[in-house]
Amino acid sequence: MNLYWTSLLPINGLRHFVCVNELLDHGERKFLLVSLLDIEVNLIVSKSELENSGSWKLGWLELNKTESITQDYITFKENK
């Protein structure tokens, strides 16, 4: 599995993620993705969602700072 992924939409204000673990859940391969910038922003994504949903791009896309870190991230951190 590829380690580096970019979400096409911000997740808690962040878009660059790294795969840190592979899980098997009822026969389905899933991956724990953690934000490159903040380990508190993490999620579990199925292999099919990563590869087929159109929500993720393989690798880290070059983005402007305002595209890669949004106001949603500041709100997320304030609520923690």
Side-chain angles (χ1 to χ4, degrees):
M1 173 48 75
N2 297 299
L3 295 179
Y4 309 109
W5 294 88
T6 300
S7 175
L8 296 183
L9 297 173
I11 297 171
N12 290 329
L14 301 175
R15 296 190 46 199
H16 294 108
F17 291 82
V18 63
C19 179
V20 296
N21 200 4
E22 181 177 338
L23 314 163
L24 193 58
D25 182 26
H26 297 94
E28 183 179 18
R29 287 179 61 194
K30 295 185 178 183
F31 301 93
L32 174 60
L33 301 181
V34 176
S35 167
L36 180 66
L37 298 175
D38 187 339
I39 62 170
E40 289 184 337
V41 180
N42 60 75
L43 66 155
I44 295 174
V45 180
S46 70
K47 180 180 180 185
S48 61
E49 181 181 344
L50 276 176
E51 296 179 342
N52 303 319
S53 71
S55 297
W56 295 92
K57 288 289 183 184
L58 177 59
W60 291 329
L61 302 180
E62 235 181 271
L63 302 170
N64 294 325
K65 184 178 179 180
T66 57
E67 292 178 297
S68 63
I69 305 172
T70 69
Q71 181 63 37
D72 289 344
Y73 177 65
I74 295 166
T75 303
F76 171 76
K77 291 307 277 187
E78 288 174 347
N79 293 329
K80 280 287 186 176

